[in-house]
Amino acid sequence: MKIQKIISMLVVFVLLLSTLVFATPDIELSAESAILIEATTGQVLYEKNSEEKMYPASITKILTAIIALEECNLTDIVTVSEIAVSSLPQGSSTGELKSGETFTVEQLLYALLVNSGNDAANVLAEHIAGSNESFATMMNTKATEIGATTSNFVNPHGLHDEKHYVTAKDMVLIAKYAMSNEVFRRIVSTQTYTMPNTEIYTDEERVYTNTNLMLFDKAMPGNSVNYYYEYITGIKTGQTSQAGKTLVASAKKDNMELICVILGVRNSSETANRYLDAKKLFTYGFNNYFLTQITTPIKNIEISNAKKGQELEVQIKDNGYLLSTTSVDASSLNYRMVQKQGLMAPINQGDEIGTIIFDINDQVYEYTLVAKNNVEVKDSIFETIMNFFKWIFKIIFYIILIFIAIVVLFRIFVILTRKKRRKRKRSNGPRRRAKQD
């Protein structure tokens, strides 16, 4: 009980200290709600009203895209229906898709994510689930699986509906999940994409320009300010009158990637808008945090009831990345391990076996330890005796085999020797008789 109390107090201390270490800074944003995380660890670096329900607009399409990527092949052929294009309100953002045209899923994903085509969202939803309503059920199921449990989706494109809302905290989890897909990463970082013409669409080429201005190293038409950010890797913009301007953005510098969500930017100007908000958050994150993979060798653990010669090798769960406010030498960190109480064999690879705690510059970092190998239970006295007799029987068996082999070889030797003698007698016999005559 005393050990449990000590461990509990230590955990509380770590949590309190980590709260101080990653305290929310004072950053002036135009967004009503925002969040910034480090993508590998998922650590929240900044948040502002991150659990407030907000309208997402077209950043909804991030979830639509990841479902399409997981449910379809990129080469699947999809036909555009009349309702998919005619059900959209006038002035809605589209990829200019025409009823009856056929596209691959990959082409529709470019129309969805680069050009923010609401028609592409409808086409994909119908193809996958039969209707927007059925697809919305899939969206909510997937969001829950990812951990986004306080949001609700009713359509695949994000056009306004009072029942269609997200939180920044949920949206950043969805974005983090989506960015683990390499095809998604490739598409959301694309500046322009040309949709091939079809027999139905014969006008000028449909050239889609990414709506995320942070991707372009020069000011785009209609903007006198260049919002380019050199480390940007994606992801998606959104805008409706009810949602204001929204943005999910990601940026990678050296080995660290950050993801931010910006919601509810209204009356934005060249000096106060979603892109500048994102830049402020990225600048703060890259200037104040370091990501290091822990490479410190961790000693093996002896398990009292383990089979003879077996030790438990351990490793940090999820490779052990250290997010700190100072640069550290990952190969020479001091640590202490706290093993699970009553840790006994059998232990399977991947089982949680305790925690490892690092003290770095008066900051405490705690990670889960898992088994790197299997550890079997040592034999009982009865099994030991039986194994001893099995060993004796094996020795006797091999001795008998060796004895039989020697006897057989000796018998063969005797037979061969007798044959040689008989041959000599036959060859010598006639000569003796010739001399006697």
Side-chain angles (χ1 to χ4, degrees):
M1 290 298 291
K2 286 184 178 179
I3 295 176
Q4 288 179 331
K5 286 182 179 179
I6 292 172
I7 294 174
S8 298
M9 291 175 65
L10 182 60
V11 169
V12 171
F13 173 74
V14 170
L15 291 173
L16 288 173
L17 190 55
S18 63
T19 301
L20 293 174
V21 172
F22 297 108
T24 300
D26 184 17
I27 302 175
E28 186 177 345
L29 300 178
S30 55
E32 295 175 7
S33 173
I35 193 168
L36 173 72
I37 69 164
E38 192 284 312
T40 301
T41 62
Q43 176 67 53
V44 176
L45 307 185
Y46 172 89
E47 53 187 333
K48 174 186 178 182
N49 302 325
S50 65
E51 297 184 16
E52 185 175 337
K53 292 178 180 178
M54 305 286 291
Y55 298 128
S58 284
I59 60 174
T60 297
K61 291 164 185 165
I62 296 171
L63 183 56
T64 299
I66 203 64
I67 293 174
L69 285 166
E70 293 182 349
E71 295 292 327
C72 308
N73 295 314
L74 292 177
T75 54
D76 288 351
I77 301 299
V78 184
T79 301
V80 179
S81 72
E82 175 62 30
I83 193 171
V85 294
S86 64
S87 61
L88 295 171
Q90 192 171 7
S92 173
S93 173
T94 73
E96 299 182 68
L97 307 182
K98 303 296 183 183
S99 175
E101 284 191 289
T102 58
F103 300 100
T104 65
V105 166
E106 184 174 19
Q107 289 169 337
L108 290 171
L109 285 170
Y110 276 101
L112 178 80
L113 295 171
V114 175
N115 195 65
S116 198
N118 295 323
D119 47 3
N122 281 344
V123 173
L124 286 168
E126 286 182 6
H127 173 69
I128 295 168
S131 68
N132 280 6
E133 292 74 21
S134 296
F135 188 76
T137 299
M138 295 180 68
M139 294 175 77
N140 288 310
T141 300
K142 189 63 187 180
T144 300
E145 290 175 3
I146 295 171
T149 58
T150 56
S151 299
N152 190 63
F153 301 89
V154 300
N155 63 57
H157 38 62
L159 289 175
H160 181 69
D161 188 299
E162 288 187 357
K163 295 180 181 178
H164 189 97
Y165 55 83
V166 300
T167 64
K169 186 164 283 187
D170 279 356
M171 205 62 228
V172 82
L173 292 177
I174 293 170
K176 178 178 180 292
Y177 180 87
M179 288 297 278
S180 66
N181 185 294
E182 290 302 317
V183 176
F184 181 90
R185 292 182 72 94
R186 166 166 55 86
I187 295 175
V188 297
S189 64
T190 300
Q191 292 182 336
T192 60
Y193 177 79
T194 302
M195 181 70 86
N197 283 0
T198 65
E199 292 181 359
I200 296 173
Y201 188 99
T202 57
D203 298 339
E204 292 183 3
E205 288 183 329
R206 289 169 285 194
V207 179
Y208 299 150
T209 301
N210 203 307
T211 58
N212 183 0
L213 300 184
M214 299 182 81
L215 288 167
F216 299 92
D217 59 2
K218 60 182 179 180
M220 301 302 291
N223 293 277
S224 59
V225 177
N226 179 8
Y227 296 113
Y228 175 67
Y229 188 66
E230 61 180 316
Y231 304 116
I232 198 73
T233 54
I235 301 177
K236 186 75 189 73
T237 65
Q239 180 178 354
T240 65
S241 57
Q242 297 86 352
K245 292 186 177 181
T246 63
L247 172 69
V248 178
S250 59
K252 188 171 185 178
K253 181 180 179 182
D254 299 327
N255 69 327
M256 185 167 70
E257 186 163 45
L258 305 178
I259 301 175
C260 73
V261 176
I262 306 293
L263 300 174
V265 176
R266 308 179 194 281
N267 302 318
S268 60
S269 65
E270 292 180 349
T271 57
N273 60 43
R274 55 187 166 179
Y275 300 119
L276 296 182
D277 280 359
K279 282 187 177 183
K280 288 178 183 179
L281 292 178
F282 289 147
T283 300
Y284 165 76
F286 288 130
N287 286 348
N288 291 279
Y289 293 94
F290 299 85
L291 183 69
T292 309
Q293 185 171 12
I294 298 171
T295 56
T296 301
I298 304 173
K299 65 180 181 181
N300 296 344
I301 299 175
E302 291 186 8
I303 306 298
S304 59
N305 70 326
K307 196 172 258 189
K308 188 176 180 181
Q310 287 191 354
E311 282 189 328
L312 177 61
E313 298 179 46
V314 296
Q315 63 184 10
I316 299 173
K317 189 177 181 180
D318 300 325
N319 296 320
Y321 282 89
L322 175 68
L323 184 67
S324 58
T325 54
T326 56
S327 181
V328 297
D329 181 0
S331 62
S332 59
L333 297 174
N334 294 321
Y335 66 86
R336 61 185 184 278
M337 287 193 292
V338 179
Q339 297 178 27
K340 265 187 176 180
Q341 284 188 311
L343 187 61
M344 302 285 281
I347 298 172
N348 296 318
Q349 183 180 6
D351 285 352
E352 292 189 6
I353 54 91
T355 58
I356 186 168
I357 300 168
F358 296 91
D359 296 294
I360 306 168
N361 298 329
D362 298 324
Q363 297 176 15
V364 178
Y365 301 85
E366 184 173 344
Y367 299 87
T368 299
L369 282 176
V370 295
K372 196 175 180 180
N373 63 306
N374 297 330
V375 177
E376 300 173 357
V377 180
K378 70 179 179 181
D379 297 333
S380 64
I381 295 176
F382 175 76
E383 288 174 326
T384 303
I385 294 172
M386 291 301 296
N387 287 334
F388 173 77
F389 280 111
K390 286 179 183 178
W391 181 72
I392 293 296
F393 288 144
K394 280 183 180 179
I395 292 176
I396 293 173
F397 175 74
Y398 287 126
I399 290 173
I400 291 172
L401 283 179
I402 293 170
F403 176 77
I404 291 172
I406 292 172
V407 170
V408 170
L409 291 172
F410 179 75
R411 182 62 180 165
I412 292 171
F413 174 76
V414 170
I415 291 171
L416 292 174
T417 302
R418 286 177 179 174
K419 284 183 178 180
K420 286 181 180 178
R421 287 176 180 173
R422 287 171 185 168
K423 284 183 180 180
R424 287 174 187 167
K425 286 181 179 179
R426 288 195 194 104
S427 60
N428 293 334
R431 290 196 190 115
R432 289 194 195 102
R433 284 197 295 273
K435 289 180 179 179
Q436 290 173 357
D437 291 342

